[in-house]
Amino acid sequence: MKTNVKPINTNEQIIFSKGAVLVFAHLFILACYLLKFAPIAKAQSLSLSLSLWPPILEAMMIPGKSITQAYTITNSGLDTIIDTKIFKFEPSDEHGNITLVEEVSADQKCPLFSFENANLSLSVPFRLKSGNSEQVILKITIPEDCPEEDYYFTFLFSTPPAAKIGQSVAREAGTIGANLLLTVSKDGQPLRKGEITEFTLNHCRKLPLFNFCLLDSLDPVEFILKISNTGQAFWKPFGKVKINGLLRQSAEIEIMAENVLTKASRQLHGQCQEGEEIYPCPLGWQPKFLLGPYRAKAELAITSPQGNKINSQVTFLAFPFKLGLAILVAFVVLGLIKNKVRT
Amino acid sequence: MIIIRIYPNKKILLFLLDCYIAKLFYCFLIGLLSYWVIGLFSPFMVQAKNMDSDSYHIQMGNMNMGAGLPTSTSYNLGITGGQTAPGAFLSSGYQLLAGFWYIKTIIPFSFSIDDLSIDFGTLTSNQFSTKTNNLTVSAGGAGGYQVTAQENQPLTLDSGVATILDATCDDTTCTEILCRPWTETNKYGFGFNMSGEDIDTGDTKFKDSTYFCQFADQSAGTPETPQVVMSKSGVTRDPPSNTSTAQVTYQVNIAGNQAAGDYENYVMFIATPTY
């Protein structure tokens, strides 16, 4: 009788061993990958990175007209949900910051906000994938019966709070916004006026009965210039601070044209330039050495260089107080040494 | 051995000292005169410069950058005359400016949070549990910015029956407005500290790493106003990233009788540019 016993193939053993090694190798690599990259994957999934353009929209409109503005929101983090809202805002300080007041309700009539996108609606969340941008086209309509005044809003793009991962957790939610400054006017020439409420030197030290600031010759000159809007529409100031010294010293500092909202005041900056970029910087002047009396005059025009002019001036006296004190101390010390040597 | 001793002559010493003082005085006078001459004739170093560039020589108060596809139902937006040509405004019905005309308008306003889930793990009584994350803002395309923070409620047990109250710090006075030191482990609650760029380091804010504040509480009887945690009145221009980054440190400490379980809330950060 012939038994049909298949002899053990040593090659199969070898193949099985090779397979096992391959499987183990794959598992090992997978484990290494999970151990090495899992924390990064977790961190990425719980981060947020949004950017928005433009950051500000300024518009003047006739009642009964509409405009549209495209906003580009870009998600540089991982996939997220974006919700859109519009809030009214008020100026919160003299530096251009805002306080969100209340969300624009669905039944608000003046102005009316809506999206022109076919697939997006205001206050309806949408998905934004990682690395993608969405162009949201905001339509602003001013009904015929809208009062002629200014309207200030912030267009917000929010993400929902992160999913809970862990035990006791503080989850985070992020929102980014852009400001809308709207002036409603029938003739395009709303009343624009303002006044300089403060023009002085920063750290101004005044002697009793004297109406000028004292300054050390080696100190930088830094001005505080505040203006308020007493008109019916927001505007920008255009102008300079002109400085003249008794010893024929003179300088001019360009003022940054920043928005001043109605019933609000703003501290103005100087205008700095680097290459083609112009940006706000402290309103200051840093000569090597100051000496004698100086007069600084702030000359501003409202809305355009040809607009209504407002001005104010400040006088200051520069003297080398620190240098003089140092020399005085040096003389006293040397005098003391001299006396000691003599005795 | 010969020892040579030199005794200084007093008269010579006094003479030398007098000469030295006199020289010093003359030096001072010459220096003062030099400064005067430099002050009279040197060109002044002025921080601010004129707008000389061709592409930015703009002096109109109202203009249009043509950015962001502004359109109208009746007119495409080209240029608007602003104050110099009100007729253009009347014919189109609007004038529009998108983005700050004085800043490179292609730079968007950006906001990042590097960790959206602050996991305190298992809380242990009388022991601080501290976690951090970073807020980063790029306001290159805006004139400045601020970031505000507000919590939806204090840390609350998942079942909603117990809360970890907001911290009142060592002297039990800190609020969402007033920051105070919080280092004692027998003071309980939940609070935060800020460090890094564009934060308020005043005496009543985040003076150092021991100063903590409460988050403004949206669920309070009268909802508390979101508080500013980062702010800058100018553009973020710090090289190389042109961004500002601040670290938020979250701190929790519970008493021994705190109900067991997992607590949670959420914190909303809102970044807005200046106007």
Side-chain angles (χ1 to χ4, degrees), chain A residues 46 53 68 254 271 278 327, chain B residues 28 50-51 71 102 105 116:
Chain A
L46 298 173
W53 203 95
T68 57
E254 199 85 25
Q271 179 178 287
I278 294 166
I327 289 164
Chain B
F28 167 66
N50 291 325
M51 293 165 64
T71 60
Y102 51 84
T105 53
L116 292 173

Side-chain angles (χ1 to χ4, degrees), chain A residues 152-166:
Chain A
Y152 306 132
F153 300 94
T154 303
F155 188 18
L156 298 172
F157 295 77
S158 308
T159 61
K164 187 188 171 192
I165 299 172

Side-chain angles (χ1 to χ4, degrees), chain A residues 295-335:
Chain A
R295 190 180 68 183
K297 191 174 183 185
E299 295 178 336
L300 298 170
I302 293 171
T303 304
S304 72
Q306 292 77 38
N308 294 333
K309 301 280 191 296
I310 50 175
N311 58 64
S312 180
Q313 66 178 38
V314 61
T315 311
F316 59 95
L317 180 68
F319 190 78
F321 294 106
K322 288 175 190 167
L323 195 66
L325 189 68
I327 289 164
L328 187 70
V329 168
F331 275 109
V332 169
V333 169
L334 286 171

Side-chain angles (χ1 to χ4, degrees), chain B residues 10-270:
Chain B
K10 245 183 194 179
K11 280 183 179 175
I12 292 170
L13 258 178
L14 283 171
F15 174 75
L16 286 172
L17 204 59
D18 278 339
C19 283
Y20 185 64
I21 291 169
K23 268 185 183 174
L24 208 69
F25 182 70
Y26 290 134
C27 282
F28 167 66
L29 275 182
I30 290 164
L32 200 65
L33 273 170
S34 305
Y35 270 124
W36 205 320
V37 170
I38 290 165
L40 273 175
F41 299 108
S42 72
F44 285 101
M45 296 295 287
V46 183
Q47 280 188 336
K49 292 178 182 175
N50 291 325
M51 293 165 64
D52 291 325
S53 167
D54 290 340
S55 52
Y56 284 93
H57 193 79
I58 301 161
Q59 292 189 317
M60 288 190 297
N62 297 286
M63 61 157 294
N64 167 50
M65 295 295 287
L69 304 176
T71 60
S72 164
T73 49
S74 50
Y75 292 91
N76 284 328
L77 192 66
I79 56 165
T80 53
Q83 294 302 299
T84 51
F89 168 74
L90 292 174
S91 68
S92 65
Y94 62 88
Q95 59 192 27
L96 189 120
L97 169 64
F100 290 88
W101 60 265
Y102 51 84
I103 294 167
K104 279 181 182 172
T105 53
I106 52 166
I107 305 170
F109 176 54
S110 304
F111 179 47
S112 303
I113 306 173
D114 70 352
D115 190 357
L116 292 173
S117 186
I118 305 300
D119 180 12
F120 296 105
T122 304
L123 298 172
T124 308
S125 61
N126 299 305
Q127 194 174 310
F128 287 125
S129 181
T130 304
K131 294 284 172 184
T132 62
N133 68 354
N134 294 302
L135 310 180
T136 303
V137 179
S138 168
Y145 78 94
Q146 69 175 13
V147 177
T148 61
Q150 186 184 40
E151 64 183 5
N152 69 321
Q153 59 182 27
L155 282 168
T156 304
L157 200 62
D158 285 350
S159 59
V161 293
T163 57
I164 298 171
L165 295 176
D166 288 333
T168 53
C169 306
D170 291 346
D171 60 3
T172 68
T173 59
C174 74
T175 62
E176 78 277 12
I177 299 164
L178 177 67
C179 305
R180 300 291 299 152
W182 184 22
T183 55
E184 295 171 14
T185 52
N186 61 347
K187 305 291 180 186
Y188 310 111
F190 171 55
F192 76 106
N193 168 273
M194 296 291 301
S195 59
E197 297 171 278
D198 304 348
I199 59 159
D200 188 344
T201 53
D203 287 346
T204 59
K205 290 295 180 183
F206 305 103
K207 189 178 177 183
D208 59 45
S209 62
T210 66
Y211 276 64
F212 282 80
C213 252
Q214 298 177 358
F215 281 109
D217 183 5
Q218 194 184 36
S219 70
T222 304
E224 292 167 354
T225 308
Q227 295 299 308
V228 176
V229 293
M230 284 177 82
S231 175
K232 188 167 189 172
S233 59
V235 294
T236 54
R237 308 185 73 258
D238 303 327
S241 59
N242 289 336
T243 59
S244 291
T245 301
Q247 186 178 65
V248 191
T249 302
Y250 305 81
Q251 187 161 284
V252 187
N253 185 27
I254 56 167
N257 60 356
Q258 185 73 44
D262 292 346
Y263 290 78
E264 70 168 309
N265 70 353
Y266 67 85
V267 179
M268 294 158 282
F269 290 101
I270 301 177

Side-chain angles (χ1 to χ4, degrees), chain A residues 50-98:
Chain A
L50 295 175
S51 55
L52 180 61
W53 203 95
I56 190 166
L57 174 72
E58 299 165 29
M60 181 158 67
M61 299 171 69
I62 288 177
K65 293 284 182 180
S66 298
I67 56 165
T68 57
Q69 173 66 42
Y71 285 88
T72 304
I73 178 86
T74 304
N75 176 19
S76 303
L78 293 192
D79 296 3
T80 189
I81 303 289
I82 302 285
D83 195 7
T84 51
K85 288 186 173 70
I86 293 176
F87 271 70
K88 288 180 184 172
F89 83 76
E90 289 174 352
S92 64
D93 57 23
E94 294 175 323
H95 303 286
N97 288 311
I98 62 165

Side-chain angles (χ1 to χ4, degrees), chain A residues 1 7 23 25 85 98 101 147 161 196 204 207 214 220 264 270 272 280 296 300 318 341:
Chain A
M1 190 177 158
V23 167
K85 288 186 173 70
I98 62 165
V101 181
I196 295 173
C204 172
L207 288 174
L214 286 173
C272 288
L300 298 170
V341 171

